[in-house]
Coordinates of all heavy atoms in Angstrom, one line a residue:
V27 N -7.5 -4.0 13.0 CA -6.8 -2.8 12.8 C -7.4 -2.0 11.7 O -7.8 -2.6 10.7 CB -5.3 -3.0 12.5 CG1 -4.5 -3.6 13.7 CG2 -5.1 -4.0 11.3
Q28 N -7.4 -0.7 11.8 CA -8.1 0.1 10.8 C -7.0 0.6 9.8 O -5.9 1.0 10.1 CB -8.7 1.3 11.4 CG -10.0 1.0 12.1 CD -11.0 2.2 12.2 OE1 -10.5 3.3 12.4 NE2 -12.2 1.9 12.1
V29 N -7.4 0.6 8.5 CA -6.6 1.1 7.5 C -7.5 2.1 6.6 O -8.6 1.8 6.3 CB -6.1 0.0 6.5 CG1 -5.0 0.6 5.6 CG2 -5.5 -1.1 7.3
T30 N -6.9 3.2 6.3 CA -7.6 4.2 5.4 C -6.9 4.2 4.1 O -5.6 4.4 4.0 CB -7.7 5.6 6.0 OG1 -8.5 5.4 7.2 CG2 -8.4 6.5 5.1
Y31 N -7.6 4.0 3.0 CA -7.1 4.1 1.7 C -7.6 5.4 1.1 O -8.8 5.7 1.0 CB -7.5 3.0 0.8 CG -7.1 1.6 1.3 CD1 -7.9 1.0 2.3 CD2 -5.9 1.0 0.9 CE1 -7.5 -0.3 2.8 CE2 -5.5 -0.2 1.4 CZ -6.3 -0.9 2.3 OH -5.9 -2.1 2.8
V32 N -6.7 6.3 0.6 CA -7.1 7.5 0.0 C -6.9 7.4 -1.5 O -5.7 7.2 -2.0 CB -6.3 8.7 0.5 CG1 -6.8 10.0 -0.1 CG2 -6.3 8.8 2.1
A33 N -8.0 7.4 -2.3 CA -7.9 7.3 -3.7 C -7.2 8.5 -4.3 O -7.1 9.5 -3.7 CB -9.3 7.0 -4.3
H34 N -6.9 8.3 -5.6 CA -6.2 9.4 -6.3 C -7.1 10.7 -6.4 O -6.6 11.8 -6.3 CB -5.9 8.9 -7.7 CG -5.0 9.9 -8.5 ND1 -3.7 10.1 -8.1 CD2 -5.2 10.8 -9.4 CE1 -3.1 11.0 -8.9 NE2 -4.1 11.4 -9.7
D35 N -8.4 10.5 -6.4 CA -9.3 11.6 -6.4 C -9.6 12.2 -5.0 O -10.5 13.1 -4.9 CB -10.6 11.3 -7.2 CG -11.4 10.2 -6.5 OD1 -11.1 9.8 -5.3 OD2 -12.4 9.8 -7.0
G36 N -9.0 11.6 -4.0 CA -9.2 12.1 -2.7 C -10.3 11.4 -1.9 O -10.4 11.6 -0.7
A37 N -11.0 10.5 -2.5 CA -12.0 9.7 -1.8 C -11.3 8.8 -0.8 O -10.4 8.0 -1.1 CB -12.9 8.9 -2.7
E38 N -11.8 8.8 0.5 CA -11.2 7.9 1.5 C -12.1 6.7 1.8 O -13.3 6.8 1.9 CB -11.1 8.7 2.8 CG -10.1 9.9 2.7 CD -9.8 10.5 4.0 OE1 -10.2 10.0 5.0 OE2 -9.1 11.6 4.0
T39 N -11.5 5.6 2.0 CA -12.2 4.4 2.4 C -11.5 3.8 3.6 O -10.3 3.6 3.6 CB -12.2 3.3 1.3 OG1 -12.6 3.9 0.1 CG2 -13.1 2.1 1.7
T40 N -12.2 3.7 4.7 CA -11.6 3.1 5.9 C -12.2 1.8 6.2 O -13.4 1.6 6.1 CB -11.8 4.1 7.2 OG1 -11.2 5.3 6.9 CG2 -11.2 3.5 8.4
I41 N -11.3 0.8 6.4 CA -11.8 -0.5 6.7 C -11.2 -1.1 7.9 O -10.2 -0.6 8.4 CB -11.4 -1.5 5.5 CG1 -9.9 -1.5 5.3 CG2 -12.1 -1.1 4.2 CD1 -9.4 -2.8 4.7
D42 N -11.9 -2.1 8.4 CA -11.4 -2.9 9.6 C -10.7 -4.1 9.0 O -11.3 -5.0 8.5 CB -12.6 -3.4 10.5 CG -12.9 -2.3 11.5 OD1 -12.0 -1.7 12.1 OD2 -14.1 -2.0 11.6
A43 N -9.4 -4.1 9.1 CA -8.6 -5.2 8.5 C -8.2 -6.2 9.6 O -8.2 -5.9 10.8 CB -7.4 -4.7 7.8
T44 N -7.9 -7.4 9.1 CA -7.5 -8.4 10.0 C -6.0 -8.3 10.3 O -5.2 -8.2 9.3 CB -7.7 -9.8 9.4 OG1 -9.1 -9.9 8.9 CG2 -7.4 -11.0 10.4
E45 N -5.6 -8.3 11.5 CA -4.2 -8.2 11.9 C -3.5 -9.4 11.2 O -3.9 -10.5 11.2 CB -4.1 -8.2 13.4 CG -2.8 -7.6 13.9 CD -2.7 -7.6 15.4 OE1 -3.7 -7.3 16.1 OE2 -1.6 -7.8 15.9
G46 N -2.3 -9.1 10.7 CA -1.5 -10.1 10.1 C -1.7 -10.2 8.5 O -0.9 -10.7 7.8
D47 N -2.8 -9.6 8.1 CA -3.0 -9.4 6.6 C -2.0 -8.3 6.1 O -1.6 -7.5 6.9 CB -4.4 -9.1 6.3 CG -5.3 -10.3 6.1 OD1 -4.8 -11.4 6.4 OD2 -6.5 -10.1 5.8
S48 N -1.8 -8.3 4.8 CA -1.0 -7.2 4.3 C -2.0 -6.1 3.9 O -3.2 -6.3 3.8 CB -0.3 -7.7 3.0 OG -1.2 -8.0 2.0
V49 N -1.5 -5.0 3.6 CA -2.3 -3.8 3.2 C -3.0 -4.2 1.9 O -4.1 -3.8 1.6 CB -1.4 -2.6 3.1 CG1 -2.2 -1.4 2.4 CG2 -0.9 -2.2 4.4
M50 N -2.3 -4.9 1.0 CA -2.9 -5.4 -0.2 C -4.1 -6.3 0.0 O -5.2 -6.2 -0.5 CB -1.9 -6.0 -1.1 CG -2.3 -6.6 -2.5 SD -3.1 -8.2 -2.4 CE -1.7 -9.3 -2.2
Q51 N -3.8 -7.4 0.9 CA -4.9 -8.4 1.1 C -6.1 -7.7 1.7 O -7.3 -8.0 1.4 CB -4.4 -9.4 2.1 CG -3.4 -10.4 1.5 CD -2.7 -11.3 2.5 OE1 -2.4 -10.8 3.6 NE2 -2.6 -12.6 2.2
A52 N -5.9 -6.7 2.6 CA -7.0 -6.0 3.3 C -7.8 -5.3 2.3 O -9.1 -5.2 2.3 CB -6.5 -5.1 4.4
A53 N -7.1 -4.7 1.3 CA -7.8 -3.9 0.3 C -8.7 -4.8 -0.6 O -9.8 -4.6 -0.9 CB -6.8 -3.1 -0.6
V54 N -8.1 -5.9 -1.0 CA -8.7 -6.8 -1.9 C -9.9 -7.5 -1.2 O -11.0 -7.5 -1.8 CB -7.8 -7.9 -2.5 CG1 -8.5 -9.0 -3.2 CG2 -6.7 -7.3 -3.4
A55 N -9.8 -7.8 0.0 CA -10.8 -8.5 0.8 C -12.0 -7.5 1.0 O -13.1 -8.0 1.2 CB -10.3 -9.0 2.1
N56 N -11.8 -6.3 1.0 CA -12.8 -5.3 1.2 C -13.2 -4.5 0.0 O -13.8 -3.4 0.1 CB -12.4 -4.3 2.4 CG -12.3 -5.0 3.7 OD1 -13.3 -5.2 4.4 ND2 -11.2 -5.5 4.1
D57 N -12.8 -5.0 -1.2 CA -13.2 -4.4 -2.4 C -12.8 -2.9 -2.5 O -13.6 -2.1 -3.1 CB -14.7 -4.5 -2.7 CG -15.1 -5.9 -3.0 OD1 -14.4 -6.6 -3.7 OD2 -16.2 -6.3 -2.5
V58 N -11.6 -2.6 -2.0 CA -11.2 -1.2 -2.2 C -10.6 -1.1 -3.6 O -9.8 -1.8 -4.1 CB -10.0 -0.9 -1.2 CG1 -9.5 0.5 -1.4 CG2 -10.6 -1.1 0.3
D59 N -11.2 -0.1 -4.3 CA -10.7 0.2 -5.7 C -9.3 0.8 -5.6 O -9.0 1.5 -4.7 CB -11.6 1.2 -6.3 CG -12.8 0.6 -6.9 OD1 -12.8 -0.7 -7.1 OD2 -13.8 1.3 -7.2
G60 N -8.5 0.4 -6.6 CA -7.2 1.1 -6.6 C -6.0 0.2 -6.2 O -4.9 0.6 -6.4
I61 N -6.3 -0.9 -5.7 CA -5.3 -1.9 -5.4 C -5.7 -3.2 -6.1 O -6.8 -3.7 -5.9 CB -5.1 -2.2 -3.9 CG1 -4.7 -0.9 -3.2 CG2 -4.2 -3.4 -3.7 CD1 -3.4 -1.0 -2.5
V62 N -4.8 -3.7 -7.0 CA -5.2 -4.9 -7.8 C -4.6 -6.1 -7.1 O -5.3 -7.1 -6.9 CB -4.7 -4.7 -9.2 CG1 -5.1 -6.0 -10.0 CG2 -5.4 -3.5 -9.9
G63 N -3.3 -6.1 -6.9 CA -2.7 -7.3 -6.3 C -2.7 -8.5 -7.1 O -3.0 -9.6 -6.7
E64 N -2.4 -8.3 -8.4 CA -2.5 -9.4 -9.4 C -1.7 -10.7 -9.0 O -2.2 -11.8 -9.3 CB -1.9 -8.8 -10.7 CG -2.4 -9.5 -12.0 CD -2.2 -8.6 -13.2 OE1 -1.0 -8.2 -13.3 OE2 -3.1 -8.3 -13.9
C65 N -0.5 -10.5 -8.5 CA 0.3 -11.7 -8.2 C -0.1 -12.4 -6.9 O 0.6 -13.4 -6.5 CB 1.7 -11.4 -8.3 SG 2.4 -10.5 -6.9
G66 N -1.0 -11.8 -6.1 CA -1.4 -12.4 -4.9 C -0.4 -12.2 -3.7 O -0.4 -12.9 -2.7
G67 N 0.5 -11.2 -3.9 CA 1.4 -10.9 -2.8 C 2.8 -11.5 -3.0 O 3.6 -11.5 -2.0
A68 N 3.1 -12.1 -4.1 CA 4.4 -12.7 -4.3 C 5.5 -11.8 -4.8 O 6.6 -12.3 -5.2 CB 4.2 -13.9 -5.3
M69 N 5.3 -10.5 -4.8 CA 6.2 -9.5 -5.3 C 6.6 -9.8 -6.8 O 7.8 -9.7 -7.2 CB 7.5 -9.6 -4.5 CG 7.5 -8.5 -3.4 SD 9.0 -7.6 -3.2 CE 9.9 -8.8 -2.2
M70 N 5.6 -10.2 -7.5 CA 5.8 -10.5 -9.0 C 5.0 -9.5 -9.9 O 4.9 -9.7 -11.1 CB 5.3 -11.9 -9.3 CG 6.1 -13.0 -8.5 SD 7.7 -13.2 -9.1 CE 7.4 -14.1 -10.6
C71 N 4.4 -8.5 -9.3 CA 3.7 -7.5 -10.1 C 4.0 -6.2 -9.5 O 4.8 -6.1 -8.6 CB 2.2 -7.8 -10.2 SG 1.3 -7.5 -8.6
A72 N 3.3 -5.2 -9.9 CA 3.5 -3.9 -9.2 C 2.1 -3.3 -9.1 O 2.0 -2.1 -8.9 CB 4.5 -3.0 -9.8
T73 N 1.1 -4.1 -9.1 CA -0.3 -3.6 -9.1 C -0.8 -3.4 -7.7 O -2.0 -3.2 -7.5 CB -1.2 -4.5 -9.9 OG1 -1.3 -5.8 -9.3 CG2 -0.7 -4.7 -11.3
C74 N 0.0 -3.5 -6.7 CA -0.4 -3.2 -5.4 C 0.3 -1.9 -4.8 O 0.4 -1.7 -3.6 CB -0.1 -4.4 -4.5 SG 1.6 -4.8 -4.3
H75 N 0.9 -1.2 -5.8 CA 1.6 0.0 -5.4 C 0.8 1.0 -4.6 O -0.4 1.2 -4.9 CB 2.0 0.7 -6.8 CG 2.8 2.0 -6.7 ND1 2.9 2.9 -7.7 CD2 3.5 2.5 -5.7 CE1 3.6 3.9 -7.3 NE2 4.0 3.7 -6.1
C76 N 1.4 1.5 -3.5 CA 0.7 2.6 -2.7 C 1.8 3.5 -2.2 O 3.0 3.2 -2.3 CB -0.1 2.0 -1.6 SG 0.9 1.4 -0.2
Y77 N 1.3 4.7 -1.8 CA 2.2 5.6 -1.1 C 1.8 5.7 0.3 O 0.7 6.1 0.7 CB 2.0 7.0 -1.8 CG 2.1 7.0 -3.3 CD1 1.0 7.2 -4.1 CD2 3.4 7.0 -3.9 CE1 1.1 7.2 -5.5 CE2 3.5 7.0 -5.3 CZ 2.3 7.1 -6.0 OH 2.4 7.1 -7.4
V78 N 2.7 5.4 1.2 CA 2.5 5.5 2.6 C 2.4 6.9 3.1 O 3.2 7.8 2.7 CB 3.6 4.8 3.4 CG1 3.4 5.0 4.9 CG2 3.7 3.3 3.1
D79 N 1.3 7.3 3.8 CA 1.1 8.6 4.3 C 2.4 9.1 5.1 O 3.0 8.3 5.8 CB -0.1 8.7 5.2 CG -0.5 10.1 5.5 OD1 -1.1 10.8 4.6 OD2 -0.1 10.6 6.5
E80 N 2.7 10.3 4.9 CA 3.9 10.8 5.5 C 4.0 10.5 7.0 O 5.0 10.2 7.6 CB 3.9 12.4 5.4 CG 5.2 12.8 4.7 CD 5.1 14.3 4.5 OE1 4.1 14.8 3.8 OE2 6.0 15.0 4.9
A81 N 2.9 10.7 7.7 CA 2.8 10.5 9.2 C 3.1 9.0 9.6 O 3.5 8.7 10.7 CB 1.5 10.9 9.7
W82 N 3.0 8.1 8.6 CA 3.2 6.7 8.9 C 4.5 6.1 8.3 O 4.8 4.9 8.6 CB 2.0 5.9 8.3 CG 0.8 6.2 9.1 CD1 -0.1 7.2 8.9 CD2 0.3 5.5 10.3 NE1 -1.1 7.2 9.9 CE2 -0.8 6.1 10.7 CE3 0.8 4.4 11.0 CZ2 -1.5 5.7 11.9 CZ3 0.1 4.0 12.2 CH2 -1.0 4.7 12.6
A83 N 5.2 6.9 7.6 CA 6.3 6.4 6.8 C 7.4 5.7 7.8 O 8.0 4.7 7.5 CB 7.0 7.5 6.0
E84 N 7.5 6.3 8.9 CA 8.5 5.8 9.8 C 8.1 4.5 10.4 O 9.0 3.6 10.5 CB 8.7 6.8 11.0 CG 10.1 6.9 11.5 CD 10.3 8.1 12.3 OE1 10.4 9.2 11.8 OE2 10.3 7.9 13.6
R85 N 6.9 4.3 10.7 CA 6.4 3.1 11.3 C 6.4 1.9 10.3 O 6.6 0.8 10.6 CB 5.1 3.2 11.9 CG 5.3 3.4 13.4 CD 4.0 3.8 14.1 NE 3.6 5.1 13.9 CZ 2.5 5.7 14.5 NH1 1.8 5.0 15.3 NH2 2.3 7.0 14.2
T86 N 6.1 2.2 9.0 CA 6.1 1.1 8.0 C 7.5 0.8 7.6 O 7.7 -0.3 7.1 CB 5.3 1.5 6.8 OG1 5.8 2.7 6.2 CG2 3.8 1.6 7.1
G87 N 8.4 1.7 7.8 CA 9.8 1.4 7.4 C 10.1 1.6 6.0 O 9.1 1.8 5.2
P88 N 11.3 1.5 5.6 CA 11.7 1.6 4.1 C 11.3 0.4 3.3 O 11.2 -0.7 3.9 CB 13.2 1.8 4.2 CG 13.6 1.1 5.4 CD 12.5 1.1 6.4
R89 N 11.2 0.5 2.0 CA 11.0 -0.6 1.2 C 12.3 -1.4 1.0 O 13.3 -0.8 1.1 CB 10.3 -0.2 -0.1 CG 11.2 0.7 -0.9 CD 10.5 1.0 -2.3 NE 11.3 2.0 -3.1 CZ 11.0 3.3 -3.2 NH1 9.9 3.8 -2.5 NH2 11.7 4.0 -3.9
D90 N 12.2 -2.7 0.7 CA 13.4 -3.4 0.5 C 13.7 -3.4 -1.0 O 13.0 -2.9 -1.8 CB 13.3 -4.8 1.1 CG 12.3 -5.7 0.5 OD1 12.1 -5.5 -0.8 OD2 11.8 -6.6 1.1
E91 N 14.9 -4.0 -1.3 CA 15.4 -4.0 -2.6 C 14.5 -4.7 -3.7 O 14.3 -4.2 -4.8 CB 16.7 -4.7 -2.7 CG 17.9 -3.9 -3.0 CD 19.2 -4.6 -2.8 OE1 19.5 -5.5 -3.6 OE2 19.9 -4.3 -1.8
G92 N 13.9 -5.8 -3.2 CA 13.0 -6.5 -4.1 C 11.8 -5.6 -4.6 O 11.3 -5.7 -5.7
E93 N 11.3 -4.8 -3.6 CA 10.3 -3.9 -4.0 C 10.7 -2.8 -5.0 O 10.0 -2.5 -5.9 CB 9.7 -3.1 -2.7 CG 9.0 -4.1 -1.8 CD 8.5 -3.3 -0.5 OE1 7.7 -2.4 -0.7 OE2 9.1 -3.5 0.6
D94 N 11.9 -2.3 -4.8 CA 12.5 -1.4 -5.7 C 12.5 -1.9 -7.1 O 12.1 -1.2 -8.0 CB 14.0 -1.1 -5.3 CG 14.1 0.2 -4.4 OD1 13.2 1.0 -4.4 OD2 15.1 0.2 -3.7
D95 N 13.0 -3.1 -7.3 CA 13.1 -3.7 -8.6 C 11.7 -3.8 -9.2 O 11.5 -3.5 -10.4 CB 13.7 -5.1 -8.5 CG 15.1 -5.1 -8.1 OD1 15.7 -4.0 -8.2 OD2 15.7 -6.1 -7.8
M96 N 10.7 -4.3 -8.4 CA 9.4 -4.5 -9.0 C 8.7 -3.1 -9.3 O 8.0 -3.0 -10.3 CB 8.6 -5.2 -7.9 CG 7.7 -6.3 -8.3 SD 8.4 -7.4 -9.5 CE 7.5 -6.9 -11.0
L97 N 9.0 -2.1 -8.5 CA 8.3 -0.8 -8.7 C 8.8 -0.2 -10.0 O 8.1 0.7 -10.5 CB 8.5 0.1 -7.5 CG 7.6 -0.2 -6.3 CD1 8.1 0.4 -5.0 CD2 6.2 0.2 -6.6
E98 N 9.9 -0.6 -10.5 CA 10.4 0.0 -11.7 C 9.3 -0.2 -12.8 O 9.2 0.5 -13.8 CB 11.7 -0.6 -12.1 CG 12.9 0.0 -11.5 CD 14.2 -0.7 -11.7 OE1 14.3 -1.4 -12.8 OE2 15.1 -0.5 -10.9
G99 N 8.5 -1.3 -12.7 CA 7.5 -1.6 -13.7 C 6.2 -1.0 -13.3 O 5.2 -1.3 -14.0
A100 N 6.1 -0.2 -12.3 CA 4.8 0.3 -11.8 C 4.2 1.3 -12.8 O 5.0 1.9 -13.5 CB 4.9 0.9 -10.4
A101 N 2.9 1.4 -12.9 CA 2.2 2.2 -13.9 C 2.3 3.7 -13.5 O 2.2 4.5 -14.4 CB 0.8 1.7 -14.0
S102 N 2.4 4.0 -12.2 CA 2.3 5.4 -11.8 C 3.7 5.8 -11.3 O 4.5 5.0 -11.0 CB 1.2 5.6 -10.8 OG 0.0 5.3 -11.4
E103 N 3.8 7.1 -11.0 CA 5.0 7.7 -10.5 C 5.5 7.0 -9.2 O 4.7 6.7 -8.3 CB 4.7 9.2 -10.3 CG 6.0 10.0 -10.0 CD 5.6 11.3 -9.3 OE1 4.4 11.7 -9.2 OE2 6.6 12.0 -8.9
I104 N 6.8 6.9 -9.1 CA 7.3 6.3 -7.9 C 7.9 7.4 -7.1 O 8.6 8.3 -7.6 CB 8.5 5.3 -8.2 CG1 8.0 4.2 -9.2 CG2 9.1 4.7 -7.0 CD1 6.9 3.5 -8.7
T105 N 7.6 7.5 -5.8 CA 8.2 8.5 -4.9 C 8.9 7.8 -3.8 O 8.9 6.5 -3.7 CB 7.1 9.4 -4.3 OG1 6.4 8.6 -3.3 CG2 6.1 9.9 -5.3
E106 N 9.5 8.6 -2.9 CA 10.2 7.9 -1.8 C 9.3 7.2 -0.9 O 9.7 6.4 -0.1 CB 11.1 8.9 -1.1 CG 10.4 10.1 -0.5 CD 11.3 11.1 0.2 OE1 12.5 10.9 0.0 OE2 10.8 11.9 0.9
R107 N 8.0 7.5 -0.9 CA 7.1 6.8 -0.1 C 6.3 5.6 -0.8 O 5.4 5.0 -0.2 CB 6.1 7.8 0.6 CG 6.8 8.6 1.6 CD 5.9 9.6 2.3 NE 5.5 10.7 1.5 CZ 4.3 11.0 1.1 NH1 3.3 10.3 1.5 NH2 4.1 12.1 0.4
S108 N 6.7 5.3 -2.0 CA 6.1 4.2 -2.7 C 6.5 2.9 -2.0 O 7.6 2.6 -1.7 CB 6.6 4.2 -4.1 OG 6.2 5.3 -4.9
R109 N 5.4 2.0 -1.9 CA 5.7 0.7 -1.4 C 4.8 -0.3 -2.2 O 3.8 0.1 -2.8 CB 5.2 0.6 0.1 CG 6.1 1.4 1.1 CD 7.5 0.8 1.3 NE 7.5 -0.6 1.6 CZ 7.5 -1.2 2.8 NH1 7.5 -0.4 3.8 NH2 7.5 -2.5 3.0
L110 N 5.2 -1.5 -2.1 CA 4.3 -2.6 -2.6 C 3.4 -2.9 -1.4 O 3.9 -3.4 -0.3 CB 5.0 -3.8 -3.0 CG 5.9 -3.6 -4.3 CD1 6.7 -4.9 -4.6 CD2 5.0 -3.3 -5.5
S111 N 2.1 -2.7 -1.5 CA 1.3 -2.8 -0.3 C 1.2 -4.3 0.2 O 0.9 -4.5 1.3 CB -0.1 -2.3 -0.5 OG -0.8 -3.0 -1.6
C112 N 1.5 -5.3 -0.7 CA 1.5 -6.6 -0.2 C 2.7 -6.9 0.7 O 2.8 -8.0 1.4 CB 1.6 -7.6 -1.4 SG 3.1 -7.6 -2.4
Q113 N 3.6 -6.0 0.8 CA 4.8 -6.2 1.7 C 4.7 -5.4 3.0 O 5.6 -5.4 3.8 CB 6.1 -5.8 0.9 CG 6.3 -6.6 -0.4 CD 6.4 -8.1 -0.1 OE1 7.1 -8.5 0.8 NE2 5.6 -8.8 -0.9
I114 N 3.5 -4.8 3.2 CA 3.3 -4.1 4.5 C 2.3 -5.0 5.3 O 1.2 -5.1 4.9 CB 2.7 -2.7 4.3 CG1 3.6 -1.9 3.4 CG2 2.6 -2.0 5.6 CD1 3.0 -0.5 3.0
K115 N 2.8 -5.6 6.3 CA 2.0 -6.4 7.2 C 1.3 -5.6 8.2 O 1.9 -4.8 8.9 CB 2.9 -7.5 7.8 CG 2.1 -8.7 8.1 CD 3.0 -9.7 8.8 CE 2.2 -11.0 8.9 NZ 2.8 -12.2 9.0
L116 N 0.0 -5.8 8.4 CA -0.7 -5.0 9.4 C -0.6 -5.6 10.8 O -1.0 -6.7 11.1 CB -2.2 -5.0 9.0 CG -2.5 -4.2 7.7 CD1 -3.9 -4.4 7.2 CD2 -2.3 -2.7 8.0
T117 N 0.1 -4.8 11.6 CA 0.2 -5.2 13.0 C -0.5 -4.2 13.9 O -1.0 -3.1 13.4 CB 1.7 -5.1 13.4 OG1 2.2 -3.7 13.1 CG2 2.6 -6.0 12.6
A118 N -0.7 -4.4 15.2 CA -1.4 -3.5 16.0 C -0.7 -2.1 16.0 O -1.4 -1.1 16.1 CB -1.4 -4.1 17.5
E119 N 0.5 -2.1 15.8 CA 1.3 -0.9 15.7 C 0.8 0.0 14.6 O 1.0 1.2 14.6 CB 2.8 -1.2 15.5 CG 3.7 -0.5 16.4 CD 5.1 -0.5 15.9 OE1 5.4 -1.3 15.0 OE2 5.9 0.4 16.4
L120 N 0.3 -0.6 13.5 CA -0.1 0.1 12.3 C -1.6 0.4 12.3 O -2.1 0.8 11.3 CB 0.3 -0.7 11.1 CG 1.8 -0.8 10.8 CD1 2.0 -1.5 9.5 CD2 2.4 0.6 10.7
D121 N -2.3 0.3 13.5 CA -3.7 0.6 13.6 C -3.9 2.1 13.2 O -3.3 2.9 13.8 CB -4.2 0.3 15.0 CG -5.7 0.5 15.1 OD1 -6.4 0.3 14.1 OD2 -6.1 0.8 16.2
G122 N -4.7 2.3 12.2 CA -5.0 3.7 11.8 C -4.2 4.1 10.6 O -4.3 5.3 10.1
L123 N -3.4 3.2 10.1 CA -2.5 3.5 8.9 C -3.3 4.1 7.8 O -4.4 3.8 7.5 CB -2.0 2.1 8.4 CG -1.1 2.2 7.1 CD1 0.2 2.9 7.4 CD2 -0.8 0.8 6.6
V124 N -2.6 5.1 7.1 CA -3.2 5.8 6.0 C -2.3 5.6 4.8 O -1.1 5.8 4.9 CB -3.3 7.3 6.2 CG1 -3.9 8.0 5.0 CG2 -4.2 7.5 7.5
V125 N -2.8 5.0 3.7 CA -2.0 4.9 2.5 C -2.8 5.6 1.3 O -4.0 5.7 1.3 CB -1.7 3.5 2.1 CG1 -0.9 2.8 3.1 CG2 -3.0 2.7 1.8
H126 N -2.0 6.2 0.4 CA -2.6 6.8 -0.7 C -2.4 5.9 -2.0 O -1.4 5.2 -2.1 CB -1.8 8.2 -0.9 CG -2.0 9.1 0.2 ND1 -2.9 10.1 0.3 CD2 -1.3 9.1 1.4 CE1 -2.8 10.7 1.5 NE2 -1.9 10.1 2.2
L127 N -3.4 6.0 -2.8 CA -3.3 5.1 -4.0 C -2.9 5.9 -5.3 O -3.3 7.0 -5.5 CB -4.7 4.5 -4.2 CG -5.1 3.7 -2.9 CD1 -6.5 3.2 -3.1 CD2 -4.2 2.6 -2.5
P128 N -2.2 5.2 -6.1 CA -1.8 5.9 -7.4 C -2.9 6.0 -8.4 O -4.0 5.3 -8.2 CB -0.7 4.9 -7.9 CG -1.0 3.6 -7.3 CD -1.7 3.8 -6.0
E129 N -2.7 6.8 -9.4 CA -3.7 7.0 -10.4 C -4.1 5.7 -11.1 O -5.3 5.4 -11.3 CB -3.2 8.0 -11.4 CG -4.3 8.5 -12.3 CD -3.9 9.8 -13.1 OE1 -2.7 10.2 -12.9 OE2 -4.7 10.3 -13.7
E130 N -3.1 4.9 -11.4 CA -3.4 3.7 -12.1 C -2.4 2.6 -11.7 O -1.3 2.9 -11.3 CB -3.4 3.8 -13.6 CG -2.2 4.6 -14.2 CD -2.3 4.9 -15.6 OE1 -3.4 4.6 -16.2 OE2 -1.4 5.3 -16.2
Q131 N -2.8 1.3 -11.8 CA -2.0 0.2 -11.4 C -1.5 -0.7 -12.6 O -0.7 -1.5 -12.4 CB -2.8 -0.7 -10.4 CG -3.1 0.0 -9.1 CD -1.9 0.0 -8.1 OE1 -0.7 -0.1 -8.6 NE2 -2.1 0.3 -6.9
L132 N -2.2 -0.5 -13.7 CA -1.9 -1.4 -14.8 C -1.4 -0.6 -16.0 O -1.7 0.5 -16.2 CB -3.1 -2.2 -15.2 CG -3.7 -3.1 -14.2 CD1 -5.0 -3.6 -14.6 CD2 -2.7 -4.3 -14.0
Ligands
FES212 FE1 2.0 -8.3 -6.7 FE2 2.2 -6.9 -4.4 S1 0.5 -8.0 -5.1 S2 3.7 -7.3 -5.9

């Protein structure tokens, strides 16, 4: 499945990710700058913060409460499209997903 990461400066990186991986795991595996994923996906950090592109927000669904709590500690601004990218699992349905990356994660 393809995922496009749009950096804060507008630079786009599109990768071929493995289905079943999270958006965070796919970024880390492909050396995408802008996603850190310090806790390895355990919802214990907020360094995998991303903003789901408007066109995809419906398909990725809303964030859950645990993400809300964690995002309070995020380094960049939180918007209604903020998600922890480790909590978005890549399925065939999300092929072509676009996420935007915050200015900083730490
Ligand atoms: Fe730590 Fe997502 S990688 S919360």
Side-chain angles (χ1 to χ4, degrees):
V27 292
Q28 283 204 327
V29 189
T30 297
Y31 299 86
V32 184
H34 190 72
D35 64 6
E38 294 187 9
T39 310
T40 300
I41 59 152
D42 274 314
T44 310
E45 202 175 320
D47 273 4
S48 69
V49 173
M50 178 280 284
Q51 285 170 321
V54 170
N56 290 278
D57 289 325
V58 176
D59 278 343
I61 297 244
V62 180
E64 207 163 50
C65 75
M69 263 223 278
M70 298 288 285
C71 70
T73 62
C74 63
H75 179 200
C76 73
Y77 308 104
V78 174
D79 190 81
E80 237 176 305
W82 289 88
E84 215 165 286
R85 262 174 283 186
T86 54
R89 59 177 179 259
D90 67 29
E91 245 171 72
E93 293 179 65
D94 267 335
D95 290 347
M96 222 45 251
L97 281 165
E98 278 173 23
S102 295
E103 191 200 349
I104 305 305
T105 74
E106 56 181 14
R107 286 184 285 118
S108 290
R109 292 291 308 269
L110 292 175
S111 60
C112 65
Q113 301 303 310
I114 306 174
K115 207 181 184 156
L116 291 166
T117 57
E119 226 199 346
L120 290 180
D121 187 27
L123 177 69
V124 180
V125 297
H126 300 260
L127 304 176
E129 189 166 8
E130 48 187 5
Q131 293 284 18
L132 295 169

